[in-house]
């Protein structure tokens, strides 16, 4: 299946209750406040941290490739009384009606792009939508091989259904910088059971390789920081690139 179609159907339904990570909105709020609005979150999913940034009064739009995830976001926004503007588009095919002072991804969603060609297209889209005096943040990481194949992570849905996701297989290609993990999603409610298996593809980058892609897209790397916001050491595998337009 197309990587952009991963978060649909049962996967989108299970995502919220089973997600193991919610980004801290603080660093993104600080970034938007520093550089200025309007801002754009790429890969906004079901609304974290976009909804909190909007609650704080920041002018932030969102874009995501999954209509199902955006529907969840809109429902959450309506329940919380928060006005949002979001677009159903792929990150590598952006065509939005305006430019932004601030563009960011909250978490390493960029690694869901399947290869360097898609990454370059996404970076070109960022450059095309970035104001000349703006800045972008792109977190990246090098995934580790999965542990505990066959072990399930479980949660309970609001209607009492049992939700679970488990790793059933994995392939890793160091040369292609790609890891493909086969995930099984299950929903059980009484005698009803829904099961799907989907490949979760992660594509990672060397720092020099990402810097080269950014330069080709017309973007300069102005900082590389670690998860604490400090300058990243050479061996850090979770880093954030700050990008600005080359003029």
């Amino acid at each position: 299946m197309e990587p952009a179609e991963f978060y649909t159907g049962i996967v989108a339904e299970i995502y919220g209750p089973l997600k193991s990570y919610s980004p801290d909105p603080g660093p993104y709020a600080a970034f938007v406040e520093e550089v200025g609005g309007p801002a754009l979150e790429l890969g906004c999913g079901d609304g974290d941290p976009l909804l909190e940034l909007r609650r704080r009064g920041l002018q932030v739009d969102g874009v995501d490739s999954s209509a199902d995830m955006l529907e969840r976001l809109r429902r959450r926004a309506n329940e919380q009384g928060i006005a949002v503007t979001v677009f159903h588009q792929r990150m590598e095919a952006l065509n939005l009606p305006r430019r932004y002072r601030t563009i960011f991804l909250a978490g390493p969603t960029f690694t869901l792009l399947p290869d360097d060609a898609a990454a370059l297209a996404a970076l070109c889209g960022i450059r095309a939508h970035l104001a000349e005096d703006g800045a972008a943040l792109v977190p990246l990481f090098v995934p580790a091989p999965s542990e505990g194949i066959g072990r399930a992570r479980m949660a309970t849905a609001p209607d009492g259904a049992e939700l679970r996701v488990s790793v059933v297989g994995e392939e890793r290609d160091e040369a292609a910088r790609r890891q493909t993990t086969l995930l099984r999603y299950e929903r059980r409610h009484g005698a009803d059971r829904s099961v799907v298996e989907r490949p979760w593809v992660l594509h990672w980058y060397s720092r020099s390789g990402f810097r080269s892609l950014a330069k080709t897209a017309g973007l300069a790397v102005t900082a590389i920081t670690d998860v604490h916001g400090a300058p990243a050491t050479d061996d850090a595998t979770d880093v954030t690139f700050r990008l600005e337009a080359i003029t």
Side-chain angles (χ1 to χ4, degrees):
M1 67 182 307
E2 289 288 329
E5 298 171 357
F6 184 88
Y7 290 100
T8 57
I10 188 176
V11 177
E13 177 187 353
I14 286 177
Y15 176 83
L18 279 175
K19 65 183 174 183
S20 58
Y21 167 79
S22 291
D24 177 3
Y28 302 102
F31 180 56
V32 175
E33 290 168 348
E34 173 204 345
V35 181
L40 175 69
E41 182 186 350
L42 299 176
C44 61
D46 66 350
D48 294 326
L50 187 147
L51 293 178
E52 176 59 27
L53 300 183
R54 291 290 298 123
R55 183 180 291 107
R56 297 184 186 191
L58 298 174
Q59 188 180 4
V60 184
D61 295 346
V63 64
D64 200 273
S65 64
S66 169
D68 290 351
M69 293 293 277
L70 290 178
E71 179 57 32
R72 292 176 61 84
L73 184 155
R74 293 187 184 98
R75 185 164 61 248
R76 292 179 65 198
N78 184 62
E79 291 169 352
Q80 298 173 36
I82 299 172
V84 294
T85 298
V86 293
F87 302 92
H88 179 212
Q89 294 185 18
R90 296 188 181 194
M91 193 189 316
E92 65 272 36
L94 290 180
N95 184 20
L96 302 175
R98 64 173 174 175
R99 290 192 173 197
Y100 296 87
R101 289 281 298 280
T102 308
I103 298 177
F104 66 93
L105 294 93
T109 308
F110 201 86
T111 56
L112 297 177
L113 295 169
D115 51 41
D116 286 355
L120 178 58
L123 289 168
C124 287
I126 290 174
R127 176 63 183 89
H129 291 82
L130 188 66
E132 296 302 324
D133 57 348
L137 287 184
V138 180
L140 298 174
F141 83 123
V142 178
S146 298
E147 297 180 357
I149 290 180
R151 186 184 307 161
R153 190 166 74 249
M154 294 178 286
T156 302
D159 65 355
E162 179 185 289
L163 311 174
R164 62 172 61 199
V165 61
S166 55
V167 177
V168 296
E170 186 167 88
E171 295 181 354
R172 187 177 175 94
D173 187 333
E174 296 286 348
R177 292 174 280 111
R178 183 181 297 114
Q179 180 169 287
T180 304
T181 305
L182 185 61
L183 299 176
R184 177 179 295 148
Y185 290 84
E186 300 177 70
R187 186 183 194 279
R188 300 180 182 180
H189 193 233
D192 296 330
R193 181 174 182 238
S194 299
V195 181
V196 299
E197 292 186 355
R198 291 188 181 173
W200 190 45
V201 180
L202 298 175
H203 176 67
W204 67 91
Y205 308 85
S206 67
R207 294 191 194 181
S208 60
F210 185 80
R211 189 186 294 270
S212 178
L213 288 171
K215 183 177 180 180
T216 299
L219 296 164
V221 176
T222 58
I224 306 175
T225 55
D226 63 17
V227 293
H228 305 294
T233 60
D234 291 341
D235 60 348
T237 57
D238 289 50
V239 299
T240 296
F241 283 77
R242 180 166 174 150
L243 307 172
E244 296 180 7
I246 298 173
T247 57

